[in-house]
Amino acid sequence: MLTTLQTAYSDTRAADLAWTLGREPLPALAVLDLRLAGAKVQLRLLGASHQVLLEEERRTCSETVACLPGSSTPLPLGVAESLGDWDYEFAARVETLSEGSFAGRAQELLALVADHPHGLAGTFPGSPYAFTAMLAQRTEGQVHWRTWHAYPQEGQLVVTRSRVGARVPAGVS
């Protein structure tokens, strides 16, 4: 699903993004509710980037990557956390692209997510390449999602990937 977000573009720089786990739902500009083999997943586009809410068998996970007032914690390259009997992993990277490469990559990602049944993308007014996009899936009992946050004025694309799944006991592979 592709939508135009009805707000001013508020993420000014990739470096302004912060990551938090366990935050309450924030006001969203666009929402996609999914059922992935028993898991309820809500992809949420915020005026300041994204939030994913996951619920399965009375367990919950909330991931927020956004420009948050009062947050000075930079976006981590990687995080691994235990959430009860779930394991959570997060990774992020920043791609810096030339103007032409950025436009091509933006078009490719927006087309991928817009046509995917588990995808949500929102473009910000003022630039067709200022967007946040999200894609979720479930494989092998784990819920995965990827996100892309585009900053055309810097030629930067912040790419994240997350995974939540039942903890595998030691010695089992």
Side-chain angles (χ1 to χ4, degrees):
M1 180 171 93
L2 178 62
T3 186
T4 299
L5 301 173
Q6 301 303 313
T7 187
Y9 184 60
S10 63
D11 288 351
T12 55
R13 301 178 324 123
D16 293 339
L17 286 175
W19 167 89
T20 59
L21 198 58
R23 186 175 280 270
E24 291 296 316
L26 296 171
L29 300 172
V31 173
L32 180 63
D33 288 306
L34 302 170
R35 284 287 236 183
L36 301 176
K40 290 182 0 186
V41 179
Q42 188 176 77
L43 304 178
R44 302 168 59 81
L45 295 178
L46 312 176
S49 290
H50 90 254
Q51 188 171 52
V52 176
L53 306 177
L54 169 64
E55 182 181 334
E56 183 179 32
E57 298 177 4
R58 295 187 312 267
R59 297 175 290 193
T60 61
C61 175
S62 167
E63 173 191 279
T64 306
V65 172
C67 299
L68 300 169
S71 178
S72 60
T73 305
L75 191 65
L77 295 177
V79 174
E81 297 267 342
S82 292
L83 302 173
D85 59 351
W86 275 347
D87 283 331
Y88 165 88
E89 292 179 2
F90 171 86
R93 73 177 190 276
V94 178
E95 298 176 8
T96 302
L97 305 164
S98 68
E99 188 174 330
S101 294
F102 188 92
R105 180 90 165 114
Q107 289 173 342
E108 173 185 276
L109 289 168
L110 287 171
L112 168 76
V113 175
D115 294 337
H116 196 286
H118 302 147
L120 175 63
T123 57
F124 291 89
S127 171
Y129 306 129
F131 68 90
T132 299
M134 310 169 72
L135 190 60
Q137 65 180 6
R138 184 176 184 116
T139 56
E140 300 177 5
Q142 299 180 337
V143 178
H144 303 255
W145 58 89
R146 297 179 61 195
T147 72
W148 299 269
H149 304 261
Y151 299 89
Q153 72 280 14
E154 296 182 310
Q156 291 189 323
L157 186 66
V158 177
V159 180
T160 75
R161 65 175 173 76
S162 303
R163 178 193 66 81
V164 175
R167 182 168 303 113
V168 177
V172 176
S173 54

